[in-house]
Amino acid sequence: LPILHRILTVSSSSKSSVIRALILVPTKELSRQVSETINLLMHYFPKEITLLNLAGEESIQLQKSLLSA
């Protein structure tokens, strides 16, 4: 919750997409749970934040392209 609050209250100096937070968790299951919780919270502000879970089964090339988008 503090990370989401900070992202929403502190404006980015650039209009381009930048990574403003990185959440590291020790397991894929916890990563899935954190992603689901953040997605539920993002329901209230869907356009301000983009979430990307890199602990899935996607290829490294797909993950790289998703990060650069």
Side-chain angles (χ1 to χ4, degrees):
L1 220 48
I3 290 174
L4 296 176
H5 179 259
R6 181 152 175 88
I7 289 172
L8 292 171
T9 57
V10 176
S11 64
S12 175
S13 61
S14 171
K15 295 291 182 190
S16 65
S17 297
V18 295
I19 297 173
R20 293 186 278 171
L22 176 64
I23 302 171
L24 300 174
V25 295
T27 65
K28 286 184 180 184
E29 177 60 26
L30 185 55
S31 174
R32 185 188 59 75
Q33 292 173 8
V34 169
S35 295
E36 287 175 359
T37 301
I38 292 173
N39 275 325
L40 288 173
L41 295 170
M42 286 173 44
H43 172 74
Y44 300 101
F45 41 89
K47 294 183 181 179
E48 286 89 3
I49 296 176
T50 302
L51 172 67
L52 180 59
N53 182 350
L54 297 177
E57 301 297 323
E58 295 85 14
S59 71
I60 191 71
Q61 294 299 65
L62 177 59
Q63 291 179 16
K64 285 180 181 180
S65 67
L66 290 171
L67 280 172
S68 65

